């Protein structure tokens, strides 16, 4: 069976105490064969989560939600790829919330990708259209297709449209495409069963450990 990636994006949610509670409750998760799980907490929680996951041998990895477009140096507020790499195996780049709230464009996103590649981080780049692939080279990238109107709305996209778009992304050379937008434990299998889809990026439903466990359980 082909491996499927389940990526859980916490966005700007949870404090340290809330995270410890989540980790305790999520510890009973069983990850089926062929499924790979990554959780993306905010930067402030990477260390706590990394430590807990290692000590308790939990069956998932963690990733950062962003990375600096620069290396180390005088870049106040930025977190370099080298710093991310100390805690994370993965990084998420170009989420639509950053593209729209912080006006991140394709050029900036390409710089972030270059930094992440230089540290051999595993990279997920989020796009909502084919234009947003511009400037990216397929090597080493997972593309998360997240249609804006499906994010956080409870209205997941029509699986037929998702398959069509994922196929187009693959046709231009990207080998791994995952879908994000109102994924839950009820619809996860439908998306994972699409021939051109290699996983899912989950937002809201990742915050409750029960939903997290159910999504993973229903993935096969
Ligand atoms: P929701 O699952 O809350 O729709 O969020 C999707 C998303 O933006 C994941 O990065």
């Amino acid at each position: 069976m082909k491996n499927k990636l389940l990526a859980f994006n916490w966005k700007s949610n949870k404090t340290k105490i809330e995270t410890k509670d989540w980790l305790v409750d999520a510890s009973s998760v069983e990850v089926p064969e062929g499924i790979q799980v990554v959780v993306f907490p905010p930067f402030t929680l990477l260390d706590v989560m990394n430590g807990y996951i290692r000590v308790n041998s939990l069956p998932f990895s963690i990733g950062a939600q962003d990375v600096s477009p620069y290396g180390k140096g005088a870049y106040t507020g930025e977190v370099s790829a080298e710093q991310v790499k100390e805690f994370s195996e993965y990084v998420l780049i170009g989420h639509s919330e950053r593209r729209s709230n912080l006006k991140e464009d394709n050029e900036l996103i390409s710089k972030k990708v270059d930094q992440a590649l230089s540290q051999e981080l595993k990279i997920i780049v989020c796009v909502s259209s084919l234009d947003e692939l511009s400037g990216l080279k397929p090597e080493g990238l997972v593309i998360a297709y997240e249609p804006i109107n499906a994010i956080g709305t409870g209205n997941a996209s029509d699986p037929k449209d998702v398959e069509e778009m994922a196929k187009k992304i693959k046709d231009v050379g990207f080998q791994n495409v995952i879908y994000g937008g109102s994924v839950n434990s009820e619809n996860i299998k439908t998306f994972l069963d699409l021939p051109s889809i290699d996983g899912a990026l989950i937002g809201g439903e990742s915050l409750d450990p029960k939903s997290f466990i159910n999504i993973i359980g229903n993935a096969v």
Side-chain angles (χ1 to χ4, degrees):
M1 189 173 73
K2 198 168 84 161
N3 266 343
K4 300 272 178 176
L5 176 66
L6 295 186
F8 293 86
N9 176 10
W10 281 10
K11 309 190 178 182
S12 294
N13 290 291
K14 296 201 189 289
T15 59
K16 278 206 281 188
I17 287 181
E18 288 166 349
T19 299
K20 284 188 183 143
D21 289 345
W22 186 95
L23 284 163
V24 169
D25 291 344
S27 293
S28 59
V29 67
E30 285 184 21
V31 178
E33 213 187 311
I35 300 290
Q36 206 185 333
V37 177
V38 191
V39 180
F40 293 82
F43 283 124
T44 51
L45 301 171
L46 287 175
D47 195 17
V48 174
M49 285 197 79
N50 190 38
Y52 192 97
I53 287 169
R54 277 166 191 248
V55 169
N56 296 285
S57 307
L58 297 191
F60 50 87
S61 311
I62 58 170
Q65 294 175 20
D66 187 32
V67 67
S68 173
Y70 310 109
K72 70 175 167 195
Y75 303 104
T76 303
E78 293 292 344
V79 181
S80 72
E82 188 184 13
Q83 292 168 320
V84 166
K85 179 79 178 184
E86 285 192 294
F87 305 103
S88 313
E89 202 179 328
Y90 284 80
V91 66
L92 205 61
I93 296 177
H95 193 280
S96 65
E97 287 151 10
R98 299 192 64 84
R99 290 182 191 258
S100 103
N101 296 330
L102 299 158
K103 309 287 172 256
E104 290 198 359
D105 61 12
N106 292 345
E107 195 185 330
L108 181 73
I109 286 161
S110 289
K111 286 186 184 151
K112 292 183 175 195
V113 168
D114 288 345
Q115 287 296 324
L117 284 171
S118 75
Q119 292 295 324
E120 297 176 350
L121 285 159
K122 294 179 181 161
I123 304 168
I124 301 178
V125 179
C126 304
V127 304
S128 57
S129 69
L130 291 175
D131 291 347
E132 291 178 350
L133 295 170
S134 165
L136 299 175
K137 293 190 202 78
E139 288 71 37
L141 303 189
V142 172
I143 300 296
Y145 170 53
E146 295 207 301
I148 308 276
N149 58 8
I151 297 178
T153 57
N155 292 317
S157 294
D158 185 327
K160 270 197 233 119
D161 297 340
V162 171
E163 171 58 23
E164 199 180 313
M165 188 65 169
K167 195 167 176 315
K168 283 184 185 160
I169 295 171
K170 290 197 158 171
D171 285 347
V172 294
F174 295 89
Q175 284 172 8
N176 290 294
V177 180
I178 66 178
Y179 166 74
S182 298
V183 173
N184 56 38
S185 59
E186 301 293 309
N187 63 22
I188 181 72
K189 184 84 165 64
T190 306
F191 288 111
L192 294 186
D193 282 347
L194 295 171
S196 303
I197 284 293
D198 304 293
L201 179 55
I202 299 115
E205 294 285 318
S206 55
L207 299 175
D208 172 14
K210 278 201 205 90
S211 314
F212 170 78
I213 290 172
N214 288 341
I215 289 172
I216 295 168
N218 287 356
V220 291

